[in-house]
Amino acid sequence: MIQAFLLEHGLDLLTTLLGLAYILFEYRASRWMWIVGFLMQSLGIVLYYQKGLYADCAMEFYYLSMTVYGLLCWSRHGRNASQEYTAETPITRIPKRKALLLLTVALGAWAVIYYLLKRYTDSTVPLPDAFTTAFSIVGIWALAHKHLEQWFVWIAVDVVTCALYCYKDLPFKSALYALYIIIAIFGYRNWKRKMLQQNTV
């Protein structure tokens, strides 16, 4: 019974545990997040392909490259409000112009990915699958640059993903994303506090 359960849900459970470690490191603004994320995303490629979540599967390849990019970005020194060098990249806000550009990119990507899924795959959930993929592209970029508002993107993605994975019979991943929503809310508050502290140094 247990063996059969693990065979059916083992990969889901493992990536869920890695995902929990990932977001806890993200909450703490720790660079270990990128290392855990690389392993989680490698396994996610297999899991999502098996479940027919093709956009999510393809997205994992993008995530893999972004984990390397993100780790490099977070390893660079930055400047605080006093223009003094800091030990790590500081948390910043997304400029309004850039935010508008990122929103445009996300909406455009959503439309394109939806069309591709609808036209060229047998996906049964092209609209939400395309949404989570498109906005995750923007979210991971904002995270790599340590922008505070990346949390808003992830909250939206997590809500849709939670429902999508529940529908696709990924109970552990669905529960993880429900937890992600809660952690993301507190993560935003924690990052905002850290940003205010670094700007007063």
Side-chain angles (χ1 to χ4, degrees):
M1 186 75 173
I2 296 176
Q3 186 176 4
F5 178 83
L6 289 176
L7 283 172
E8 184 177 355
H9 297 288
L11 197 54
D12 179 21
L13 179 58
L14 178 57
T15 54
T16 297
L17 293 173
L18 288 171
L20 182 58
Y22 175 89
I23 198 167
L24 290 175
F25 281 127
E26 183 180 357
Y27 172 86
R28 297 176 58 189
S30 168
R31 282 177 289 187
W32 276 100
M33 169 191 70
W34 299 111
I35 297 166
V36 172
F38 190 90
L39 178 58
M40 175 182 68
Q41 288 138 20
S42 298
L43 295 174
I45 291 171
V46 179
L47 176 64
Y48 295 142
Y49 185 80
Q50 289 176 347
K51 292 294 182 177
L53 292 166
Y54 303 120
D56 279 351
C57 180
M59 185 68 186
E60 293 301 294
F61 288 99
Y62 171 70
Y63 276 150
L64 285 176
S65 63
M66 287 301 292
T67 56
V68 177
Y69 177 69
L71 183 59
L72 290 173
C73 285
W74 281 37
S75 299
R76 295 174 187 160
H77 298 319
R79 292 175 182 266
N80 59 22
S82 302
Q83 294 300 303
E84 297 172 336
Y85 281 104
T86 59
E88 59 183 25
T89 303
I91 298 167
T92 58
R93 290 189 176 277
I94 301 178
K96 289 182 180 179
R97 265 188 182 176
K98 190 181 288 185
L100 183 59
L101 175 61
L102 291 175
L103 179 59
T104 303
V105 169
L107 292 173
W110 185 11
V112 170
I113 295 168
Y114 170 75
Y115 171 78
L116 293 174
L117 289 175
K118 192 75 174 173
R119 181 75 173 81
Y120 297 107
T121 77
D122 60 353
S123 175
T124 58
V125 286
L127 194 64
D129 196 9
F131 174 87
T132 58
T133 303
F135 278 82
S136 292
I137 290 171
V138 170
I140 195 72
W141 184 91
L143 174 58
H145 288 270
K146 222 167 183 180
H147 289 314
L148 176 66
E149 292 81 3
Q150 58 96 15
W151 288 109
F152 295 140
V153 179
W154 293 124
I155 289 170
V157 169
D158 293 344
V159 169
V160 176
T161 303
C162 178
L164 178 60
Y165 287 174
C166 184
Y167 176 76
K168 278 292 185 176
D169 190 31
L170 292 168
F172 294 109
K173 294 288 275 188
S174 180
L176 175 66
Y177 277 87
L179 182 60
Y180 272 7
I181 297 166
I182 298 170
I183 295 176
I185 293 169
F186 285 98
Y188 169 78
R189 295 175 63 183
N190 186 48
W191 275 39
K192 187 175 182 180
R193 178 180 55 79
K194 285 177 178 288
M195 186 181 71
L196 292 174
Q197 287 176 346
Q198 77 190 14
N199 288 341
T200 57
V201 175

